[in-house]
Amino acid sequence: MKRKINCETARDFSVIKTLEKLGHFPKRTAEKEAWFLSPFRSETQASFKVSKTKNRWYDHGEGVGGNVIDLVSRILKCSIKEALDYLNNGITDFSFQQQQVFNEKETQIDITKIQELTHPALVQYLNFRGITLIISKRYCKEVWYSYKGVQFFAIGLENHKNGWELRNKIFKNSSSPKSYSYIQNNNKQLIILEGMFDLLSLAVLNSSILEVSDVVVLNSIAFVKDIEKMIPKYESVHLYLDNDKAGQQATKFLMKNYKNVLDQSSIYKNHNDLNALLCHEKGG
Protein backbone atom coordinates (compact mmCIF):
# COMPACT_ATOMS: atom_id res chain seq x y z
CA MET A 1 0.00 0.00 0.00
CA LYS A 2 1.35 3.39 -1.03
CA ARG A 3 2.26 5.63 1.89
CA LYS A 4 0.42 8.95 2.02
CA ILE A 5 2.58 12.04 1.86
CA ASN A 6 2.23 15.35 3.66
CA CYS A 7 3.44 18.85 2.86
CA GLU A 8 6.80 18.28 4.53
CA THR A 9 7.65 15.07 2.67
CA ALA A 10 6.19 16.32 -0.62
CA ARG A 11 8.65 19.23 -0.69
CA ASP A 12 11.41 16.67 -1.35
CA PHE A 13 9.86 15.75 -4.70
CA SER A 14 12.04 17.01 -7.56
CA VAL A 15 10.76 20.23 -9.11
CA ILE A 16 12.55 19.40 -12.37
CA LYS A 17 11.04 15.92 -12.65
CA THR A 18 7.60 17.27 -11.79
CA LEU A 19 7.88 19.89 -14.53
CA GLU A 20 8.91 17.20 -17.00
CA LYS A 21 5.92 15.04 -16.01
CA LEU A 22 3.72 18.05 -16.69
CA GLY A 23 5.29 18.45 -20.13
CA HIS A 24 7.86 21.20 -19.50
CA PHE A 25 11.52 20.53 -20.29
CA PRO A 26 14.61 22.65 -19.55
CA LYS A 27 15.99 24.94 -22.24
CA ARG A 28 19.43 24.94 -20.62
CA THR A 29 21.00 23.37 -17.57
CA ALA A 30 24.04 24.03 -15.40
CA GLU A 31 25.51 22.32 -12.36
CA LYS A 32 23.29 24.10 -9.85
CA GLU A 33 20.29 25.28 -11.87
CA ALA A 34 18.00 24.65 -14.85
CA TRP A 35 16.11 27.18 -16.93
CA PHE A 36 12.66 26.63 -18.45
CA LEU A 37 10.16 28.59 -20.50
CA SER A 38 7.58 29.70 -17.97
CA PRO A 39 4.68 27.24 -17.61
CA PHE A 40 2.46 30.19 -16.72
CA ARG A 41 2.60 32.14 -20.00
CA SER A 42 3.96 32.15 -23.55
CA GLU A 43 7.56 33.32 -23.90
CA THR A 44 10.61 32.78 -26.14
CA GLN A 45 13.38 33.40 -23.59
CA ALA A 46 13.61 31.06 -20.60
CA SER A 47 12.95 33.10 -17.44
CA PHE A 48 11.86 30.29 -15.13
CA LYS A 49 14.74 29.08 -12.94
CA VAL A 50 14.91 25.92 -10.84
CA SER A 51 17.62 25.64 -8.20
CA LYS A 52 18.94 22.07 -8.12
CA THR A 53 20.52 22.56 -4.70
CA LYS A 54 17.45 24.12 -3.03
CA ASN A 55 14.83 22.27 -5.12
CA ARG A 56 12.86 25.50 -5.53
CA TRP A 57 11.65 27.47 -8.53
CA TYR A 58 11.55 31.18 -9.32
CA ASP A 59 9.76 32.88 -12.22
CA HIS A 60 11.75 36.01 -13.04
CA GLY A 61 9.02 37.22 -15.39
CA GLU A 62 6.45 37.44 -12.60
CA GLY A 63 8.72 37.73 -9.57
CA VAL A 64 7.18 34.70 -7.84
CA GLY A 65 8.56 31.36 -6.72
CA GLY A 66 8.11 28.48 -4.33
CA ASN A 67 8.34 24.76 -3.77
CA VAL A 68 6.98 21.82 -5.76
CA ILE A 69 3.56 21.98 -4.04
CA ASP A 70 3.16 25.65 -5.00
CA LEU A 71 4.16 24.75 -8.55
CA VAL A 72 1.64 21.93 -9.00
CA SER A 73 -1.15 23.93 -7.35
CA ARG A 74 -0.59 26.84 -9.70
CA ILE A 75 -0.13 24.91 -12.95
CA LEU A 76 -3.10 22.60 -12.36
CA LYS A 77 -5.28 25.24 -10.64
CA CYS A 78 -5.93 22.85 -7.77
CA SER A 79 -5.92 22.83 -3.98
CA ILE A 80 -2.93 21.83 -1.84
CA LYS A 81 -4.65 18.53 -1.00
CA GLU A 82 -5.13 17.79 -4.71
CA ALA A 83 -1.52 18.75 -5.43
CA LEU A 84 -0.41 16.26 -2.77
CA ASP A 85 -2.63 13.60 -4.35
CA TYR A 86 -1.02 14.31 -7.70
CA LEU A 87 2.52 14.08 -6.31
CA ASN A 88 1.67 10.92 -4.40
CA ASN A 89 -0.29 9.05 -7.04
CA GLY A 90 0.66 10.48 -10.39
CA ILE A 91 -1.52 11.51 -13.29
CA THR A 92 -3.65 8.37 -13.55
CA ASP A 93 -5.04 8.66 -10.01
CA PHE A 94 -5.64 12.40 -9.85
CA SER A 95 -9.15 13.57 -10.70
CA PHE A 96 -8.11 15.75 -13.64
CA GLN A 97 -11.31 15.10 -15.52
CA GLN A 98 -13.25 16.67 -12.67
CA GLN A 99 -10.80 19.50 -12.12
CA GLN A 100 -9.54 20.32 -15.58
CA VAL A 101 -12.39 19.95 -18.11
CA PHE A 102 -12.83 23.67 -18.44
CA ASN A 103 -16.22 25.33 -18.55
CA GLU A 104 -16.08 27.64 -21.57
CA LYS A 105 -19.14 29.56 -20.34
CA GLU A 106 -17.14 30.65 -17.30
CA THR A 107 -13.76 31.34 -18.89
CA GLN A 108 -12.82 31.40 -22.54
CA ILE A 109 -10.01 29.21 -23.82
CA ASP A 110 -7.91 31.46 -26.05
CA ILE A 111 -5.79 29.88 -28.78
CA THR A 112 -2.41 31.62 -28.82
CA LYS A 113 -0.33 29.55 -31.25
CA ILE A 114 -0.80 26.75 -33.79
CA GLN A 115 2.17 24.86 -35.21
CA GLU A 116 3.43 21.46 -36.34
CA LEU A 117 3.54 18.77 -33.63
CA THR A 118 7.02 18.80 -32.11
CA HIS A 119 6.79 19.04 -28.31
CA PRO A 120 8.47 16.01 -26.66
CA ALA A 121 5.66 15.62 -24.10
CA LEU A 122 3.02 15.40 -26.84
CA VAL A 123 5.12 13.01 -28.93
CA GLN A 124 5.59 10.83 -25.84
CA TYR A 125 1.85 10.84 -25.16
CA LEU A 126 1.07 9.90 -28.77
CA ASN A 127 3.52 7.00 -28.56
CA PHE A 128 1.86 5.89 -25.32
CA ARG A 129 -1.48 5.80 -27.18
CA GLY A 130 0.12 3.79 -30.04
CA ILE A 131 0.17 6.66 -32.56
CA THR A 132 3.22 7.66 -34.62
CA LEU A 133 4.18 11.28 -35.10
CA ILE A 134 3.98 10.95 -38.90
CA ILE A 135 0.33 9.89 -38.75
CA SER A 136 -0.54 12.52 -36.14
CA LYS A 137 0.88 15.29 -38.32
CA ARG A 138 -1.53 14.37 -41.11
CA TYR A 139 -4.55 15.31 -39.04
CA CYS A 140 -3.47 17.29 -35.99
CA LYS A 141 -1.47 20.31 -34.87
CA GLU A 142 0.31 21.43 -31.72
CA VAL A 143 -1.99 24.02 -30.20
CA TRP A 144 -0.97 26.45 -27.45
CA TYR A 145 -3.79 28.08 -25.54
CA SER A 146 -4.44 30.29 -22.55
CA TYR A 147 -6.88 29.56 -19.74
CA LYS A 148 -7.20 31.86 -16.71
CA GLY A 149 -3.92 33.48 -17.70
CA VAL A 150 -1.99 30.18 -17.75
CA GLN A 151 -0.43 28.75 -20.91
CA PHE A 152 -1.09 25.13 -21.94
CA PHE A 153 -0.28 23.07 -25.01
CA ALA A 154 -2.04 20.10 -26.55
CA ILE A 155 -2.62 17.93 -29.59
CA GLY A 156 -5.32 19.73 -31.56
CA LEU A 157 -7.90 18.53 -34.09
CA GLU A 158 -9.71 21.36 -35.83
CA ASN A 159 -13.47 21.15 -36.27
CA HIS A 160 -15.45 22.47 -39.23
CA LYS A 161 -16.25 25.71 -37.39
CA ASN A 162 -12.55 26.39 -36.69
CA GLY A 163 -12.73 25.40 -33.02
CA TRP A 164 -10.27 22.87 -31.63
CA GLU A 165 -10.45 19.58 -29.77
CA LEU A 166 -7.50 19.62 -27.34
CA ARG A 167 -5.81 16.57 -25.82
CA ASN A 168 -2.68 15.90 -23.81
CA LYS A 169 -1.70 13.52 -21.04
CA ILE A 170 -3.56 15.56 -18.45
CA PHE A 171 -6.29 17.58 -20.13
CA LYS A 172 -9.27 16.87 -22.38
CA ASN A 173 -10.78 20.15 -23.53
CA SER A 174 -12.08 22.07 -26.52
CA SER A 175 -12.14 25.65 -27.69
CA SER A 176 -15.24 27.47 -28.84
CA PRO A 177 -17.12 26.90 -31.06
CA LYS A 178 -17.35 23.16 -30.39
CA SER A 179 -18.50 21.04 -33.32
CA TYR A 180 -17.69 17.98 -35.41
CA SER A 181 -14.65 17.69 -37.68
CA TYR A 182 -15.21 16.97 -41.39
CA ILE A 183 -12.50 15.75 -43.74
CA GLN A 184 -13.98 16.00 -47.22
CA ASN A 185 -12.24 14.44 -50.22
CA ASN A 186 -15.27 13.95 -52.53
CA ASN A 187 -15.37 10.20 -51.94
CA LYS A 188 -18.49 8.03 -52.13
CA GLN A 189 -17.85 6.47 -48.72
CA LEU A 190 -18.12 8.17 -45.32
CA ILE A 191 -16.50 7.07 -42.06
CA ILE A 192 -17.98 8.33 -38.79
CA LEU A 193 -15.76 8.21 -35.69
CA GLU A 194 -16.39 9.43 -32.18
CA GLY A 195 -13.12 11.13 -31.18
CA MET A 196 -9.68 12.31 -32.21
CA PHE A 197 -7.89 9.17 -31.09
CA ASP A 198 -10.37 6.97 -32.95
CA LEU A 199 -9.31 8.75 -36.14
CA LEU A 200 -5.61 8.43 -35.37
CA SER A 201 -6.01 4.79 -34.35
CA LEU A 202 -7.85 3.92 -37.56
CA ALA A 203 -5.03 5.59 -39.50
CA VAL A 204 -2.62 3.18 -37.79
CA LEU A 205 -4.81 0.07 -38.09
CA ASN A 206 -6.21 0.60 -41.59
CA SER A 207 -4.88 3.67 -43.38
CA SER A 208 -6.10 2.45 -46.78
CA ILE A 209 -9.78 2.85 -45.84
CA LEU A 210 -9.20 6.49 -44.91
CA GLU A 211 -7.63 7.14 -48.31
CA VAL A 212 -10.89 6.26 -50.08
CA SER A 213 -13.30 7.84 -47.60
CA ASP A 214 -14.58 11.15 -46.36
CA VAL A 215 -14.41 11.33 -42.56
CA VAL A 216 -16.51 12.80 -39.76
CA VAL A 217 -15.14 12.92 -36.22
CA LEU A 218 -18.10 13.73 -33.98
CA ASN A 219 -16.01 15.12 -31.06
CA SER A 220 -19.18 14.53 -29.03
CA ILE A 221 -21.89 11.91 -29.53
CA ALA A 222 -24.36 14.79 -29.29
CA PHE A 223 -23.41 15.89 -32.83
CA VAL A 224 -24.98 12.77 -34.40
CA LYS A 225 -28.09 14.85 -35.16
CA ASP A 226 -25.97 17.52 -36.86
CA ILE A 227 -24.29 15.13 -39.29
CA GLU A 228 -27.44 13.16 -40.22
CA LYS A 229 -27.96 15.34 -43.28
CA MET A 230 -24.69 14.06 -44.80
CA ILE A 231 -25.59 10.37 -44.68
CA PRO A 232 -27.91 10.18 -47.74
CA LYS A 233 -25.19 11.77 -49.90
CA TYR A 234 -22.92 8.71 -49.61
CA GLU A 235 -23.18 5.22 -51.06
CA SER A 236 -21.97 3.71 -47.78
CA VAL A 237 -21.40 5.00 -44.27
CA HIS A 238 -19.15 3.11 -41.83
CA LEU A 239 -19.67 3.67 -38.09
CA TYR A 240 -16.83 3.27 -35.58
CA LEU A 241 -18.59 4.49 -32.44
CA ASP A 242 -17.73 3.53 -28.86
CA ASN A 243 -18.95 0.26 -27.38
CA ASP A 244 -20.70 2.07 -24.54
CA LYS A 245 -24.38 2.82 -24.05
CA ALA A 246 -24.33 6.20 -25.85
CA GLY A 247 -22.31 4.88 -28.78
CA GLN A 248 -24.49 1.79 -29.18
CA GLN A 249 -27.69 3.84 -29.05
CA ALA A 250 -26.38 6.21 -31.73
CA THR A 251 -25.37 3.25 -33.90
CA LYS A 252 -28.82 1.65 -33.58
CA PHE A 253 -30.51 4.97 -34.37
CA LEU A 254 -28.51 5.55 -37.56
CA MET A 255 -28.79 1.97 -38.79
CA LYS A 256 -32.55 1.99 -38.24
CA ASN A 257 -33.03 5.20 -40.22
CA TYR A 258 -30.52 4.75 -43.07
CA LYS A 259 -30.01 1.64 -45.18
CA ASN A 260 -26.49 2.64 -46.28
CA VAL A 261 -25.09 2.61 -42.72
CA LEU A 262 -22.77 -0.22 -41.58
CA ASP A 263 -21.69 -0.89 -37.99
CA GLN A 264 -17.95 -1.64 -37.76
CA SER A 265 -17.72 -1.91 -33.97
CA SER A 266 -17.31 -5.71 -34.19
CA ILE A 267 -13.68 -5.00 -35.14
CA TYR A 268 -13.08 -3.90 -31.54
CA LYS A 269 -15.90 -5.91 -29.91
CA ASN A 270 -13.81 -6.73 -26.82
CA HIS A 271 -12.78 -3.10 -26.32
CA ASN A 272 -14.50 0.24 -25.82
CA ASP A 273 -13.05 1.88 -28.93
CA LEU A 274 -10.42 1.69 -31.65
CA ASN A 275 -7.65 3.14 -29.51
CA ALA A 276 -8.26 0.58 -26.76
CA LEU A 277 -7.88 -2.12 -29.42
CA LEU A 278 -4.71 -0.52 -30.76
CA CYS A 279 -3.17 -0.21 -27.30
CA HIS A 280 -4.08 -3.83 -26.56
CA GLU A 281 -2.43 -5.01 -29.78
CA LYS A 282 0.61 -2.88 -29.08
CA GLY A 283 0.89 -4.28 -25.56
CA GLY A 284 0.49 -7.81 -26.82
Side-chain angles (χ1 to χ4, degrees), residues 108-123:
Q108 180 71 33
I109 290 175
D110 295 315
I111 305 299
T112 56
K113 183 168 61 174
I114 299 166
Q115 63 185 43
E116 290 296 310
L117 279 163
T118 59
H119 199 288
L122 299 181
V123 176

Side-chain angles (χ1 to χ4, degrees), residues 126-131 277-284:
L126 287 164
N127 289 336
F128 174 75
R129 299 290 294 263
I131 313 297
L277 170 65
L278 176 62
C279 291
H280 175 76
E281 291 187 352
K282 177 189 172 190

Side-chain angles (χ1 to χ4, degrees), residues 60-278:
H60 287 268
E62 294 189 14
V64 296
N67 58 41
V68 69
I69 304 170
D70 304 321
L71 179 70
V72 171
S73 297
R74 184 163 183 187
I75 291 180
L76 299 182
K77 296 287 184 181
C78 66
S79 68
I80 291 175
K81 181 182 180 300
E82 289 163 338
L84 291 173
D85 287 341
Y86 171 79
L87 291 167
N88 192 47
N89 299 317
I91 286 170
T92 55
D93 294 335
F94 185 78
S95 57
F96 284 107
Q97 205 159 15
Q98 177 184 345
Q99 295 295 323
Q100 295 296 333
V101 177
F102 304 148
N103 186 339
E104 292 177 38
K105 292 180 181 179
E106 293 178 1
T107 305
Q108 180 71 33
I109 290 175
D110 295 315
I111 305 299
T112 56
K113 183 168 61 174
I114 299 166
Q115 63 185 43
E116 290 296 310
L117 279 163
T118 59
H119 199 288
L122 299 181
V123 176
Q124 183 183 47
Y125 178 53
L126 287 164
N127 289 336
F128 174 75
R129 299 290 294 263
I131 313 297
T132 66
L133 183 60
I134 292 173
I135 284 176
S136 303
K137 284 184 173 181
R138 290 181 199 163
Y139 303 101
C140 300
K141 296 290 186 182
E142 180 177 313
V143 179
W144 288 71
Y145 60 100
S146 174
Y147 175 76
K148 290 186 177 179
V150 180
Q151 287 290 321
F152 299 93
F153 56 90
I155 303 155
L157 175 68
E158 191 171 15
N159 66 42
H160 84 114
K161 291 184 177 180
N162 303 119
W164 289 88
E165 290 300 306
L166 303 165
R167 302 288 184 274
N168 62 31
K169 191 174 182 179
I170 307 172
F171 307 133
K172 181 179 180 180
N173 300 301
S174 59
S175 70
S176 184
K178 187 173 176 68
S179 188
Y180 59 86
S181 301
Y182 187 26
I183 302 171
Q184 192 172 9
N185 296 311
N186 297 316
N187 289 305
K188 296 180 180 179
Q189 178 172 280
L190 177 67
I191 288 173
I192 300 177
L193 302 144
E194 199 159 327
M196 177 195 306
F197 275 96
D198 296 314
L199 170 62
L200 297 176
S201 298
L202 187 59
V204 174
L205 294 164
N206 188 1
S207 61
S208 59
I209 194 172
L210 289 171
E211 293 169 4
V212 295
S213 306
D214 288 1
V215 179
V216 164
V217 181
L218 293 172
N219 297 321
S220 168
I221 201 71
F223 289 117
V224 165
K225 288 287 187 181
D226 294 64
I227 58 90
E228 263 195 274
K229 60 183 179 292
M230 301 179 187
I231 292 176
K233 300 176 184 177
Y234 291 90
E235 290 182 2
S236 62
V237 178
H238 296 253
L239 302 181
Y240 295 84
L241 304 184
D242 289 0
N243 277 325
D244 58 14
K245 186 176 180 181
Q248 289 170 349
Q249 285 180 342
T251 297
K252 287 178 182 177
F253 170 80
L254 293 174
M255 291 186 69
K256 180 181 177 181
N257 288 282
Y258 302 96
K259 294 181 179 180
N260 59 335
V261 173
L262 302 169
D263 177 16
Q264 300 292 354
S265 63
S266 61
I267 294 170
Y268 46 97
K269 61 183 178 181
N270 297 320
H271 304 277
N272 186 61
D273 56 31
L274 282 167
N275 188 247
L277 170 65
L278 176 62

